[in-house]
Amino acid sequence: MPTTPELIVSGYTQDGYGAGPGMVRYALLADGTVGEQLAQGAAVSNPSFMADGGAVLFAVEELEHGNVVAVDPWSLEVLGRVSSGGADSCHVALVDGAVWVANYSSGTAAVLPVEDVVGVGINSVSHVAPVQPIVLAHPGSGPVSDRQGESHAHQVTATPWGTVLVADLGADRVDEYSAESQVRLGSAELPPGTGPRHVAIKGEFLLVAGELDGCLHVMRRTVRDAHGEFFWHWLFKVPLAENSQVIADADQFFPSHIQLSNDGSKLYAAVRGPDTVVVLDVSGLNVPENTDAAPTPPQFLQQQSSGGMWPRHFAVATNKMYVANQNSNSVAVFNIDSQGLLGLDPIQSVEFGSPTCVLPR
């Protein structure tokens, strides 16, 4: 990890996606705003998401033939590049010494040992090393004909209990795999037409952003039988807006990323279309685990402009939020107050072509 705080931003680079610089490393100043550019790497094509491995960064290339790329976090030079085993790789996570990838268009997840990505020792930045990932597929579909004709894996997320969740926007499921064996253990089934994109875990609750229905869905990990097996029980959904009429009236309403506040009492959500950041109070989910105590639904607290257009991703660090506004080519920086609410306006806007992911480190 760096000795002083930094922010790494990635963005689309190819025609049809965007015209960004690739990956850029910035200094973060003492007040949390973005300072000078420290490094730029243009060798990663369409880096749609990044994961921080400390001495190595991992990025995925959202291409017809997707790749996982190991990147030096200091120079942003490519250390290795291997196939993701699918198309349009859009998310990456590090789980117990393995790199997990979500391949959107092929609807699959893939798993590679970290050393297979880093240790290929390539000389050409465009070369793809001949490493075969483990590809995980559980095909499905949903009722939204133009978006759910087939599976679309959108996010891979590690759980505290040794599994990995794969959000499948096309099949209205969040599949759960053993991190060790890569065996599918079950699925969290969402209402038809939800379009699960990103998730957050709060204790025994799974919070799911529905890209297609505009709502946050809450599920609870529940004991199935005396053998201790679990399943995901759907509890309720709430609009990612002040009310459901806002969603009904919108021409476009597509939630993207969600993240819990540092203390877990708030949930932040970015919504493309109205280009907002929404804050919900999720403290009503603070009930004793493995009991029948009834949680209460999240409560709407705040909705405001994302400081740009098409907020694809954001990150929360200390008392700041950094929002990647893809279509306005900017990263907006917001203050977060002691109550977990955002300042009314961004305190800074940083020019960046087609940003896709922000990574404080």
Side-chain angles (χ1 to χ4, degrees), residues 309-341:
M309 296 171 59
W310 214 250
R312 180 181 178 87
H313 183 247
F314 66 85
V316 174
T318 314
N319 63 344
K320 295 291 184 290
M321 176 183 286
Y322 305 90
V323 184
N325 288 301
Q326 179 184 339
N327 289 355
S328 56
N329 301 310
S330 62
V331 174
V333 183
F334 288 88
N335 279 324
I336 299 177
D337 68 18
S338 60
Q339 303 302 311
L341 301 179

Side-chain angles (χ1 to χ4, degrees), residues 56 76 124 312:
V56 181
L76 300 183
S124 170
R312 180 181 178 87

